[in-house]
Amino acid sequence: MLVLAYHLHADTMPIFTKDEWMKGMASLEVDSSEKLKQLMPKLVAKLKDPKEFKEFYRYIFMFAKDSDQKCMLIDTATGMMETVLEGRAHVKSFLEFLEAKKPVKVINKDQWYSFLEFSDTIAEDLSNYDGVNSAWPVLLDEYVEWRNEPSD
């Protein structure tokens, strides 16, 4: 459903306006539910391209947050991360960190955007993380500190 929302350029979750639906279906050249059903695997496959996925991921922030807010509620953000980033580096442990430490009530755009880059560039074991010369949001620095704490 998120992939379809992205291609329809829908503004608000979980609503598709008639205008969004009609313009989206026209741009996708879809005029029946059967054609849409056939097209969906191709739309999903497009997300394998890193540039396309990045655009999709950024769209999710704007789509999933309340339209009158600048940030996404933490419950919404964690649900979206679980859904769209499943299997990527750091997702599981980052979500565990958010649950265990509860460092924030919302995720802002910078944190959301930066997490994808962090997940794509920082090794799961954090061996290439440079807290001195990098400029990650504080939330990601706190996550790294949490990961580096001695286990009980």
Side-chain angles (χ1 to χ4, degrees):
M1 191 55 82
L2 293 173
V3 174
L4 182 58
Y6 170 64
H7 286 282
L8 294 179
H9 306 285
D11 288 330
T12 307
M13 184 175 74
I15 301 166
F16 297 141
T17 66
K18 182 179 179 181
D19 188 51
E20 289 169 343
W21 183 264
M22 299 303 288
K23 285 181 180 176
M25 291 297 117
S27 72
L28 293 171
E29 299 178 356
V30 170
D31 59 7
S32 70
S33 58
E34 188 57 40
K35 285 184 181 177
L36 179 58
K37 194 175 183 180
Q38 291 173 355
L39 182 62
M40 285 305 297
K42 292 175 186 167
L43 297 178
V44 171
K46 282 179 147 185
L47 298 180
K48 290 185 184 299
D49 173 65
K51 184 179 177 192
E52 184 76 18
F53 185 82
K54 183 177 182 178
E55 288 180 29
F56 168 71
Y57 180 78
R58 288 180 170 208
Y59 163 81
I60 292 299
F61 180 83
M62 300 308 290
F63 179 68
K65 72 174 186 59
D66 288 339
S67 59
D68 61 339
Q69 300 295 313
K70 291 185 179 185
C71 299
M72 190 185 314
L73 294 174
I74 194 69
D75 291 341
T76 303
T78 57
M80 288 294 142
M81 283 182 167
E82 282 180 313
T83 302
V84 300
L85 297 176
E86 182 180 15
R88 291 174 98 93
H90 301 287
V91 174
K92 185 178 178 201
S93 55
F94 184 67
L95 295 175
E96 288 171 7
F97 160 72
L98 293 175
E99 178 63 30
K101 293 295 185 176
K102 300 191 184 323
V104 293
K105 293 181 182 179
V106 296
I107 296 290
N108 66 40
K109 188 195 290 188
D110 183 48
Q111 293 164 334
W112 180 264
Y113 285 13
S114 295
F115 185 77
L116 179 62
E117 182 181 349
F118 184 91
S119 175
D120 286 346
T121 59
I122 303 299
E124 187 72 48
D125 65 2
L126 303 171
S127 57
N128 62 335
Y129 176 79
D130 179 1
V132 176
N133 297 312
S134 62
W136 297 109
V138 171
L139 181 62
L140 293 175
D141 291 331
E142 291 172 347
Y143 161 69
V144 171
E145 288 173 18
W146 177 78
R147 284 276 310 271
N148 288 329
E149 287 176 0
S151 300
D152 293 337

